[in-house]
């Protein structure tokens, strides 16, 4: 079990209502061990206390036979001797009961002081004895105390010091149950300190990193007039300029968190000093809120948003419409019937994908103009190396060169097998020669190409559909959307008891008119297209009406998705 935290710098999800602290069951855990290494040491004692709403519900404690010698230094520290654990049950007998104790309530969070130590031992025990590790969220009272207590309030943040500071009736003594009991009082003391700062949910508690600033506290009133409804919110300054755009299932709840200790993003804390108002935009469905957020960010480019501000800066790979086509990295899609690959947010990724195509097909990389025909010129080094068909000196005829261009077009818009086969063969050969860095570069080129090809093929298929109506069950009814040429044109909820035929007729009649256009995303950004596509292909979504044919190539880039997933996992681990 590992402690997971909401990463900073990431746009908060729409699914952010949170679990109220009063409804959260906390299992406060403490383990005594034979050492500090979860790999080499073993557990000697377990103590746990279950609390909810400030009340102790029950306790769990037992000595554990570690199966190894208890070091003398550990005995001096904890008082646990070899004879005490000799007749205790081994961990393989204790662990099922402990896991059942943790899993008894679905709204459980595990609490520990210096949680990585205790959860690390618990995780190691689960792996050692073949049990799945617990998945409950973790609260670390040590980290919380460091964030909440100001300098000079306590001489340190040790459990003994904090227990005394918060007036715990039990003194920690390096015995599991007593230490867990003391941690309960420390937890309650910290929660009481955080309540005036606006921390009222488990998610907010776990995200606390420092107290709210004076500016945050002074701006809490901005959430008072915001409705408790799903939608989009826009923070503005004194001049009405947009500062930040976000979305939520509960607008008031989400806006309030920006002015509490749960908000730990430095730039958002800075924004509290200049924010003057908040504009809520209530949305009918989750998809509408997600799309509106993207559109507002792209339109207003609020300075405190990091994602999605500049969709116009996307990069595409284009196979040009010349007598002798070449691959070009461009910023816009034109109505020229040329195949486009992408989009890519990174220029580096776009160039990698272009290199992947050039490695498989001998297309020219020069910028000579051959239409109208010009005199022949000396071939470049690439032509001499056999990496270009060399139309410059007439080595290949226009018909021969066109065959390479058509093969590249097929790889971009249909079957990418030629690119995949070329690169997998090179990766295998380089790996056999222990040239792993070069093999990794070939892998990165291939995955960049496949990601761009898969994205453009998916979006092109969606953009070709003039009219789609789909629905899925939601909290208030059936969330229904109209999509035209890849753009969300309308969204509403079909409430129980409503005439479905009249509802659909009205929704379609009032939906935005969307004309067709060129390229994979003619009338929306790629991000919106991906959102709509993910919603349409979700297993819970039901197609109601569909005009046109929704098809993708049989042997498309999606057939090689395991390569992009594997490469993404490898890159994330490095």
């Amino acid at each position: 079990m590992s402690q997971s935290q909401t990463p900073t710098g990431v746009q908060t999800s729409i699914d952010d209502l949170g679990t109220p602290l009063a409804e959260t069951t906390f299992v406060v855990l403490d383990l005594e061990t034979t050492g500090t290494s979860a790999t080499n040491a073993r557990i000697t004692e377990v103590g746990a206390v279950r609390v909810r709403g400030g009340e102790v519900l029950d306790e769990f404690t037992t000595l554990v036979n570690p199966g190894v010698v208890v070091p003398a230094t550990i005995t001096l520290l904890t008082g646990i001797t070899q004879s005490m654990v000799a007749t205790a049950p081994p961990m393989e007998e204790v662990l099922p009961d402990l896991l059942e104790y943790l899993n008894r309530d679905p709204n459980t969070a595990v609490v520990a002081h210096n949680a990585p130590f205790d959860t690390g031992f618990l995780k190691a025990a689960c792996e050692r004895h073949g049990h799945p590790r617990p998945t409950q969220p973790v609260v670390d009272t040590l980290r919380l105390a460091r964030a909440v207590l100001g300098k000079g309030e306590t001489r340190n943040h040790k459990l003994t010091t904090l227990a005394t500071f918060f007036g715990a009736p039990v003194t920690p003594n390096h015995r599991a149950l007593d230490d867990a009991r003391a941690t309960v009082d420390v937890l309650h003391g910290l929660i009481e300190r955080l309540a005036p700062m606006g921390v009222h949910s488990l998610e907010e508690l776990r995200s606390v990193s420092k107290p709210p600033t004076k500016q945050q506290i002074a701006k809490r009133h901005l959430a008072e007039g915001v409705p408790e409804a799903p939608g989009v919110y826009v923070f503005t300054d004194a001049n009405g300029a947009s500062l930040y755009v976000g979305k939520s299932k509960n607008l008031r709840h989400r806006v309030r968190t920006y002015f509490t200790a749960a908000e730990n993003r430095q730039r958002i804390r800075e924004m509290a000093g200049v924010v003057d108002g908040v504009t809520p935009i209530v949305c009918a469905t989750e998809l509408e809120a997600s799309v509106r957020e993207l559109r507002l960010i792209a339109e207003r480019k609020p300075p405190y948003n990091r994602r999605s501000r500049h969709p116009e800066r996307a990069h595409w790979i284009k196979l040009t419409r010349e007598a002798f086509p070449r691959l070009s990295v461009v910023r816009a899609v034109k109505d020229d019937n040329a195949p486009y690959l992408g989009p890519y947010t990174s220029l580096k990724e776009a160039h990698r994908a272009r290199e992947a195509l050039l490695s498989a097909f001998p297309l020219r990389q020069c910028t000579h103009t051959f239409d109208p025909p010009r005199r022949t010129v000396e071939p470049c080094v690439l032509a001499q190396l056999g990496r270009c068909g060399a139309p410059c000196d007439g080595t290949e005829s226009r018909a021969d060169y066109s065959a390479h261009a058509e093969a590249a077009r097929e790889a971009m818009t249909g079957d990418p097998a030629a690119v995949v086969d070329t690169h997998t063969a090179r990766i295998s050969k380089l790996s056999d020669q222990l040239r792993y860095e070069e093999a990794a570069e070939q892998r990165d080129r291939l995955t960049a190409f496949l990601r761009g090809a898969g994205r453009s093929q998916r979006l092109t298929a969606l953009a070709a559909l003039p009219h789609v109506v789909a629905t899925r069950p939601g909290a208030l009814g059936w969330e229904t959307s109209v999509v035209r040429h890849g753009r969300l044109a309308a969204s509403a909820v079909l409430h129980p008891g409503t005439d479905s035929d009249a509802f659909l007729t009205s929704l379609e009649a009032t939906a935005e008119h969307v004309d067709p256009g060129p390229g994979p995303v003619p009338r929306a950004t790629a991000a919106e297209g991906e959102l709509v596509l993910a919603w349409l292909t979700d297993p819970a979504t039901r197609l109601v009406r569909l005009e046109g044919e929704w098809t993708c190539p049989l042997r498309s880039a999606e057939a090689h998705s395991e390569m992009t997933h594997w490469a993404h996992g490898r890159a994330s681990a490095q």
Side-chain angles (χ1 to χ4, degrees), residues 113 141-151 153-162:
H113 196 71
T141 52
L142 174 60
R143 186 182 66 83
L144 272 179
R146 288 171 174 168
V148 174
L149 300 179
K151 292 182 179 180
E153 288 195 78
T154 59
R155 65 179 184 274
N156 56 48
H157 299 99
K158 293 180 180 179
L159 181 58
T160 302
T161 304
L162 295 175

Side-chain angles (χ1 to χ4, degrees), residues 97-171:
D97 292 337
L98 177 58
L99 294 176
E100 187 277 329
Y101 188 80
L102 295 176
N103 293 321
R104 196 171 296 172
D105 190 322
N107 289 329
T108 292
V110 175
V111 181
H113 196 71
N114 189 21
F117 176 87
D118 299 276
T119 57
F121 270 89
L122 185 57
K123 171 186 172 182
C126 289
E127 293 177 349
R128 194 174 294 120
H129 298 290
H131 291 275
R133 58 187 182 180
T135 58
Q136 290 86 358
V138 178
V139 176
D140 187 352
T141 52
L142 174 60
R143 186 182 66 83
L144 272 179
R146 288 171 174 168
V148 174
L149 300 179
K151 292 182 179 180
E153 288 195 78
T154 59
R155 65 179 184 274
N156 56 48
H157 299 99
K158 293 180 180 179
L159 181 58
T160 302
T161 304
L162 295 175
T164 302
F165 179 79
F166 286 113
V170 178
T171 301

Side-chain angles (χ1 to χ4, degrees), residues 14 49 100 118 129 182 239 329 453 474 505 559 571:
I14 192 169
V49 182
E100 187 277 329
D118 299 276
H129 298 290
N239 297 319
V329 177
T505 299

Side-chain angles (χ1 to χ4, degrees), residues 295-326:
R295 291 179 184 176
L296 283 170
I297 293 174
E299 173 191 341
R300 303 188 183 183
K301 300 183 177 8
Y304 288 95
N305 283 93
R306 286 184 175 174
R307 295 189 302 109
S308 311
R309 282 201 301 167
H310 299 285
E312 70 280 1
R313 294 181 182 177
H315 303 278
W316 300 82
I317 299 172
K318 172 184 177 179
L319 183 64
T320 61
R321 298 282 295 171
E322 301 176 74
F324 296 94
R326 57 190 177 87

Side-chain angles (χ1 to χ4, degrees), residues 455-479:
R455 185 178 298 116
S456 57
Q457 290 173 3
R458 291 192 304 268
L459 293 174
T460 297
L462 179 64
L465 300 175
H467 186 76
V468 181
V469 181
T471 188
R472 64 183 294 178
L476 301 177
W478 287 87
E479 298 183 355

Side-chain angles (χ1 to χ4, degrees), residues 226-244:
V226 178
E228 293 190 7
V232 177
Y233 52 91
V234 183
F235 286 118
T236 56
D237 63 16
N239 297 319
S242 299
L243 297 173
Y244 185 86

Side-chain angles (χ1 to χ4, degrees), residues 185-199:
D185 292 301
V186 171
L187 173 67
H188 289 161
L190 291 168
I191 289 176
E192 289 178 6
R193 289 287 293 265
L194 287 165
M197 301 179 188
V199 176

